[in-house]
Amino acid sequence: MAKIVRHPNVADYILEMSLDEIAQRPSGLMDLFEDGKLVVVKNYRLPFDFSAMEALDDRTDSIDDQKIRRKLKKLEATTFFSGKDPEKIIDEKGDVESLRFDTPLRQALFASFCRSDPKVFANASNALRTAHDELTRIFKLCFPTYETTRLISSLRLTETVFENLHWDNHSIDDDFHQARIFCNLDRRKRIWNVGDRCIDFMEANYAKYDLAQFAGRDPNEMLSYIAGDILGGTRDIWKDDRPRHHVAFEPGEVWLGESRMISHQIWYGQRAMVYMWFVNVNSMHDKSRRFNARVEDLHARMAANLPSSSSHESIAAA
């Protein structure tokens, strides 16, 4: 189980639920996810070949094409196993010596991450396909009526330490909903800190930071302002003194949360999968709980000096 240290001055929105408990709920996790809960899947570990990831090289400096290199740094897990099977290059002994792919990206992936080793590529592809299928199964169980339009299957292979506290800004100005599942693919713990939820922080500090200036604007602008100008961003991580919960996720552990709603920082992590599904808002449990609508509602309530419509306790005053 994840090790969780709850801070008394942060609203306790962390839940631990087994897949069986989730399956027994008609709405799965839809209502809880939309309400800004962070859900850790209890008594579960992703069946995964960790050695397949450990065999990968996370360096991309051997790739000269800068465009391809940027794509490798934001690699999607499905790149390993989607598309046409590679052509096998056979040596004089009849063994597979190398592989030839039909796209420059997959060829570069093979050359850099897999060091042009067919066995390393095969093992990683099989492991990631298995993980993909399992996360897809968990998604369907947790979000039974969600209709999806797109999947971003991010694969994180590089070490991350001492990230700044932030709410995710996807730089997408569309009014959309997302479902997000995280999984630790490393043998070591992945350590997160999680703090204020966005609406809680905005409501408690609306006048102090003149957040009314963002009414009617893209909510991403406000997220950037709060995370950067107020909390310090990546340059001044020391500037942030917000209270937060501490969570250490075990190898293979899975958790879910709306990362635009929950402030978070990776304190330490190496290999992970982050699956993000774009969801048709009309298929939500309650589409008024989508991120953009909740931000608009807050601006309207603050302008009218109305009390909170949130169903949860807020402990976010600066």
Side-chain angles (χ1 to χ4, degrees):
M1 288 296 298
K3 174 67 174 179
I4 303 173
V5 179
R6 291 172 165 86
H7 195 291
N9 293 334
V10 180
D12 187 3
Y13 51 79
I14 303 174
L15 302 177
E16 298 173 89
M17 300 177 65
S18 69
L19 291 177
D20 287 341
E21 290 172 329
I22 295 169
Q24 291 172 10
R25 304 182 81 246
S27 59
L29 291 180
M30 295 189 298
D31 56 332
L32 300 174
F33 185 92
E34 293 168 16
D35 195 45
K37 299 292 193 294
L38 178 68
V39 181
V40 181
V41 179
K42 184 172 62 177
N43 301 328
Y44 175 83
R45 294 290 183 277
L46 184 81
F48 190 73
D49 180 5
F50 294 101
S51 63
M53 292 295 98
E54 293 167 347
L56 295 176
D57 191 329
D58 61 9
R59 293 171 295 181
T60 60
D61 50 348
S62 63
I63 305 302
D64 294 328
D65 189 316
Q66 293 298 316
K67 185 177 180 180
I68 294 293
R69 187 183 292 186
R70 286 194 296 271
K71 288 183 178 179
L72 287 174
K73 289 182 178 180
K74 295 185 177 181
L75 187 66
E76 293 202 34
T78 52
T79 307
F80 273 87
F81 55 83
S82 294
K84 185 179 178 181
D85 289 340
E87 176 186 353
K88 296 179 180 179
I89 310 301
I90 309 299
D91 63 16
E92 296 178 353
K93 297 180 181 180
D95 297 325
V96 178
E97 181 180 50
S98 188
L99 300 172
R100 182 179 295 119
F101 295 82
D102 61 345
T103 68
L105 177 60
R106 298 188 78 203
Q107 194 68 53
L109 178 156
F110 175 66
S112 57
F113 292 151
C114 302
R115 302 185 303 280
S116 297
D117 187 326
K119 290 184 179 178
V120 171
F121 174 79
N123 291 339
S125 297
N126 290 336
L128 291 172
R129 184 187 293 274
T130 298
H132 171 85
D133 291 344
E134 183 65 0
L135 290 189
T136 300
R137 180 184 76 87
I138 292 174
F139 168 83
K140 292 178 180 178
L141 186 147
C142 294
F143 307 105
T145 65
Y146 274 7
E147 299 171 4
T148 61
T149 59
R150 181 187 174 194
L151 167 65
I152 298 178
S153 55
S154 298
L155 178 64
R156 313 286 172 82
L157 297 175
T158 56
E159 182 182 71
T160 301
V161 294
F162 306 148
E163 190 179 55
N164 62 303
L165 187 70
H166 66 285
W167 296 273
D168 279 348
N169 178 349
H170 300 303
S171 299
I172 301 172
D173 57 7
D174 293 338
D175 183 1
F176 71 98
H177 181 59
Q178 65 164 333
R180 212 151 203 228
I181 301 181
F182 304 82
C183 182
N184 182 15
L185 299 186
D186 201 83
R187 294 185 198 269
R188 293 159 290 190
K189 291 179 172 63
R190 191 171 186 86
I191 301 174
W192 271 31
N193 296 322
V194 293
D196 305 314
R197 285 176 293 189
C198 179
I199 301 301
D200 297 342
F201 181 90
M202 286 176 58
E203 186 160 14
N205 298 282
Y206 197 81
K208 179 177 180 179
Y209 297 119
D210 187 25
L211 298 182
Q213 64 182 296
F214 296 100
R217 293 162 60 180
D218 180 356
N220 288 311
E221 296 180 37
M222 184 182 62
L223 291 183
S224 296
Y225 171 71
I226 296 174
D229 293 53
I230 298 175
L231 300 184
T234 56
R235 292 184 179 180
D236 299 323
I237 298 175
W238 54 267
K239 189 176 181 180
D240 159 40
D241 62 355
R242 303 299 304 171
R244 63 205 75 192
H245 305 304
H246 307 299
V247 188
F249 298 104
E250 296 286 346
E253 198 145 37
V254 172
W255 62 103
L256 306 88
E258 222 296 14
S259 55
R260 294 176 298 173
M261 288 298 303
I262 301 169
S263 64
H264 57 284
Q265 64 182 159
I266 301 170
W267 205 241
Y268 175 80
Q270 180 80 16
R271 305 174 186 91
M273 296 179 86
V274 183
Y275 268 42
M276 173 181 169
W277 287 265
F278 288 79
V279 176
N280 182 339
V281 298
N282 292 317
S283 67
M284 292 176 64
H285 183 264
D286 180 356
K287 67 179 182 180
S288 71
R289 306 298 283 171
R290 69 191 188 279
F291 177 72
N292 282 37
R294 295 185 71 176
V295 172
E296 291 171 6
D297 173 71
L298 177 67
H299 283 304
R301 286 192 290 104
M302 298 306 289
N305 196 26
L306 295 175
S308 172
S309 62
S310 175
S311 62
H312 54 260
E313 181 182 0
S314 172
I315 312 176

